Amino acid sequence: MAKNASFGNAKNNKEDEFYTQLPDIEKELSHYRDHFKDKTILCNCDDPRISNFFLYFALKFKELKLKRLITTCYKNQEADLFSQNNCEKAVWLDYYGNPNDPTSTDFSTVEIKELKGNGDFRSQECVELLKQADIVVTNPPFSLFREYIDILMKYEKKFLVIGSQNNITYKEIFKLFKEDKIWLGYKAGDMAFKVPEYYTPRKTRYWQDETGQKWRSMGNICWYTNLDIAKRHEDLVLYKKYSKEDFPKYDNYDAIEVSKVSDIPFDYYGILGVPITFLDKYNPNQFEIIGLDRYTVPKQFLVGGRVAVNGKSKYARILIKRKK
């Protein structure tokens, strides 16, 4: 871990504590129910005393026919902001359901255990728990997203996690999309999160409710997964006809600019440059991903690191091609 900032520093500097709402979890996970049967679920960035990920799986333990539920949290989470508990120690929970009363919603008697270390998901102690899991579901620290996905891939884990859409443009993450090892889930767009009291107020996408609880919303949140879902096998309906006027070519690169995913022409089979939001509609049977502009187009043909039309650069563009 010497090459990276510590988990604690990342959390303090990047304000990484965003608490996901239960309705957002319920809405997304409803599409994956068949994946959970007889599986061990790990939520490894979650204090079980306040995590809605733990609450979701605990409440639906019997219904989903889960085998086991493990949650771990980092020691510096400010749990006292939302409850009477504190997190001076890293804790974890190992839950096998309640055979005496499967319908019970009272989890206060479930034993909360202390971890020996600080609960960093990269620590050997937490990695050993990761190895025991079938599927990982959580909201990892946004500033450590690349490292988080890397460790899931290293141990070949199935997962469903929340992240910023901007993560798509990271070289390591985009490579996984291109190789069809990761894709987007159902929800993409705005999502609101509870945040700790000490978070800095902002002019936009920030508010306090009637109880004084602070909230932040982000407009570019999505779910990343490698669990197969029906959505990724649905064809994007194409209706627009190609014309040179509507779809100009990039400067010094043989591809056309498509500024809206909905405008992809149905009669063009060359390379197209589309916004990163395309991945929300991506069907690997319909399209081939060629690359991301900054990693694919020769640097001398880029303007500000991006593809350009008439010398004017575009925002990040994914280069794709129709499959005949």
Side-chain angles (χ1 to χ4, degrees):
M1 288 182 220
K3 64 179 181 179
N4 303 307
S6 73
F7 194 10
N9 287 338
K11 292 171 72 62
N12 292 333
N13 297 333
K14 300 294 184 179
E15 295 191 342
D16 271 337
E17 291 186 66
F18 291 85
Y19 293 82
T20 314
Q21 297 183 79
L22 185 59
D24 289 329
I25 295 171
E26 291 176 320
K27 188 173 182 180
E28 182 69 25
L29 270 61
S30 66
H31 300 287
Y32 304 80
R33 297 173 66 90
D34 293 342
H35 289 285
F36 299 136
K37 183 181 178 181
D38 298 323
K39 296 297 192 296
T40 294
I41 307 299
L42 172 66
C43 306
N44 60 349
C45 297
D46 301 82
D47 184 333
R49 297 167 294 193
I50 58 174
S51 168
N52 283 323
F53 283 99
F54 164 76
L55 183 60
Y56 174 84
F57 285 115
L59 288 172
K60 293 185 176 291
F61 195 93
K62 182 181 179 182
E63 181 182 337
L64 295 174
K65 299 179 180 178
L66 299 181
K67 177 182 178 182
R68 182 185 178 194
L69 172 61
I70 307 169
T71 66
T72 67
C73 80
Y74 186 71
K75 70 175 181 179
N76 283 347
Q77 283 190 343
E78 299 288 344
D80 58 306
L81 296 170
F82 303 100
S83 70
Q84 297 303 309
N85 300 302
N86 62 61
C87 267
E88 293 178 357
K89 298 285 187 179
V91 298
W92 72 294
L93 178 148
D94 202 3
Y95 185 64
Y96 289 85
N98 186 344
N100 297 322
D101 186 4
T103 62
S104 174
T105 59
D106 179 12
F107 308 110
S108 61
T109 59
V110 180
E111 182 184 4
I112 303 292
K113 308 173 185 178
E114 289 186 4
L115 289 165
K116 294 178 181 178
N118 63 6
D120 188 322
F121 64 81
R122 300 164 296 186
S123 68
Q124 191 57 45
E125 185 178 27
C126 289
V127 167
E128 289 303 316
L129 292 173
L130 173 65
K131 291 177 181 179
Q132 300 173 43
D134 297 303
I135 305 174
V136 182
V137 186
T138 192
N139 179 0
F142 288 172
S143 66
L144 296 174
F145 191 82
R146 277 179 280 201
E147 291 177 67
Y148 188 81
I149 294 297
D150 181 65
I151 204 165
L152 296 182
M153 301 305 296
K154 177 180 178 180
Y155 291 98
E156 300 180 343
K157 293 301 173 181
K158 295 294 184 180
F159 58 86
L160 176 62
V161 300
I162 293 175
S164 165
Q165 204 169 55
N166 294 334
N167 295 329
I168 292 169
T169 64
Y170 295 160
K171 190 172 185 177
E172 305 88 340
I173 301 297
F174 185 79
K175 183 174 182 288
L176 297 175
F177 276 99
K178 188 175 185 297
E179 295 174 350
D180 206 28
K181 294 179 179 178
I182 186 175
W183 44 88
L184 295 186
Y186 282 83
K187 167 70 178 180
D190 191 69
M191 192 179 292
F193 302 90
K194 286 183 179 181
V195 296
E197 174 64 30
Y198 64 86
Y199 272 32
T200 306
R202 295 184 175 183
K203 292 183 179 180
T204 60
R205 294 187 172 274
Y206 165 87
W207 69 95
Q208 284 184 270
D209 62 26
E210 64 278 2
T211 69
Q213 172 63 58
K214 287 186 176 181
W215 293 80
R216 280 192 192 170
S217 67
M218 298 182 184
N220 62 347
I221 296 299
C222 52
W223 293 79
Y224 291 76
T225 189
N226 58 359
L227 295 168
D228 198 22
I229 48 178
K231 174 188 172 184
R232 69 187 298 262
H233 301 292
E234 298 172 354
D235 279 354
L236 176 62
V237 177
L238 308 177
Y239 69 92
K240 193 154 186 175
K241 187 175 178 63
Y242 168 74
S243 71
K244 292 183 179 180
E245 295 73 27
D246 291 334
F247 303 100
K249 280 195 172 183
Y250 294 122
D251 300 344
N252 301 310
Y253 185 72
D254 190 14
I256 63 172
E257 161 68 8
V258 182
S259 59
K260 295 181 180 179
V261 174
S262 59
D263 287 346
I264 293 175
F266 66 83
D267 55 349
Y268 189 86
Y269 286 88
I271 300 176
L272 312 96
V274 295
I276 62 175
T277 52
F278 163 79
L279 289 179
D280 188 42
K281 305 292 184 182
Y282 173 52
N283 176 348
N285 296 318
Q286 185 181 18
F287 294 96
E288 173 188 0
I289 295 177
I290 306 300
L292 188 69
D293 54 0
R294 67 194 301 179
Y295 308 132
T296 306
V297 179
K299 290 183 178 180
Q300 64 267 31
F301 300 146
L302 298 175
V303 176
R306 300 297 183 191
V307 287
V309 174
N310 296 324
K312 188 174 182 179
S313 65
K314 300 295 180 179
Y315 190 63
R317 289 293 185 256
I318 296 176
L319 303 171
I320 63 170
K321 195 173 184 178
R322 287 274 305 284
K323 290 185 175 180
K324 295 185 179 180

